[in-house]
Amino acid sequence: MDNRKVGELIYHLRKEKGLTQKQLADQMNISDRTISKWERGYGCPDVTLLPSLSFLLGVNIENILDGELSSNEFVGGNMKKSHYFVCPSCNNIVLATGSITLSCCGRKLEPLEAKKATDEEKLSMTEMDNEWFISSDHPMTKDHYISFIAFATGDQVQIIKQYPEWSLQTRIPKRKHGKLLWFDTQFRLYYQLV
């Protein structure tokens, strides 16, 4: 850990938030001399202070300790290339169009790797009234069910949440050239091209 880099980051983040050293110190119940010492690279925040410093500056603790914030490259926006994340504790679903670091329920989330569905795994799609009627013979039990379906085209994603013990049947507007994805509770993400 480089105290100088950590101090520079704290300085820039504090300025970005429009806080003086005294204001930041008061919110953390420490002296403004301590903040000054950190920003000059003559010390580092104590481990017990990192959560409140992280909260007040709006960055992860890891970024504070690294002494830098890394920026992602601009993403052109093809929604078919989106990344899906699911929390293993609460089943929260997150969609990102580019690289991102996420955490939920105290755990770092990794993007799900989509696997191309085999003929046996594919969802049934039938054209009906200019819509796709999507269904599956998946058993949809409490222990193993399809949690969500996503239909991604180049410019949009539609996510449909599914629940255990409901039969999987839904309709989506018919569009050309999309990617149908679905996620089951055994943490597998599948896709088929439409």
Side-chain angles (χ1 to χ4, degrees):
M1 181 168 57
D2 184 339
N3 288 351
R4 185 188 52 76
K5 284 176 60 179
V6 171
E8 286 178 14
L9 179 63
I10 291 171
Y11 170 79
H12 289 294
L13 293 171
R14 177 180 60 77
K15 289 290 194 180
E16 194 176 277
K17 293 286 185 182
L19 296 170
T20 65
Q21 288 179 344
K22 175 104 173 92
Q23 289 169 326
L24 181 60
D26 287 347
Q27 291 182 41
M28 296 182 68
N29 296 318
I30 58 176
S31 77
D32 55 343
R33 283 180 284 187
T34 303
I35 303 290
S36 175
K37 186 172 87 173
W38 297 343
E39 290 182 354
R40 291 180 292 134
Y42 293 127
C44 234
D46 186 79
V47 172
T48 60
L49 297 173
L50 287 173
S52 62
L53 185 62
S54 168
F55 175 76
L56 291 169
L57 297 178
V59 295
N60 290 332
I61 292 172
E62 297 101 19
N63 294 114
I64 293 172
L65 296 175
D66 286 343
E68 61 186 21
L69 299 175
S70 56
S71 296
N72 292 327
E73 292 182 27
F74 174 73
V75 178
N78 186 339
M79 298 302 284
K80 286 191 271 186
K81 296 180 181 179
S82 295
H83 303 282
Y84 298 84
F85 301 80
V86 177
C87 176
S89 298
C90 70
N91 291 321
N92 194 3
I93 303 166
V94 182
L95 168 82
T97 58
S99 297
I100 190 168
T101 302
L102 291 171
S103 63
C104 187
C105 297
R107 296 181 179 158
K108 185 175 180 182
L109 301 182
E110 297 296 329
L112 299 170
E113 292 289 328
K115 171 187 153 189
K116 188 169 185 177
T118 64
D119 288 338
E120 299 84 39
E121 295 165 332
K122 285 185 177 179
L123 299 182
S124 171
M125 295 183 67
T126 311
E127 186 179 347
M128 190 180 293
D129 300 327
N130 207 29
E131 292 182 317
W132 288 115
F133 176 72
I134 301 169
S135 62
S136 174
D137 294 332
H138 194 286
M140 300 293 282
T141 64
K142 280 188 177 187
D143 297 326
H144 185 214
Y145 62 96
I146 294 174
S147 177
F148 71 86
I149 298 170
F151 186 69
T153 62
D155 63 345
Q156 59 184 289
V157 174
Q158 180 178 0
I159 296 179
I160 301 133
K161 179 74 175 116
Q162 299 295 299
Y163 297 94
E165 299 178 344
W166 290 14
S167 63
L168 192 155
Q169 296 181 350
T170 191
R171 289 175 170 230
I172 58 172
K174 185 178 178 198
R175 296 184 193 100
K176 292 183 183 180
H177 310 295
K179 189 184 217 183
L180 183 66
L181 300 108
W182 62 97
F183 172 79
D184 71 18
T185 52
Q186 294 185 347
F187 276 79
R188 294 180 296 207
L189 183 67
Y190 297 96
Y191 75 91
Q192 68 191 59
L193 300 176
V194 179

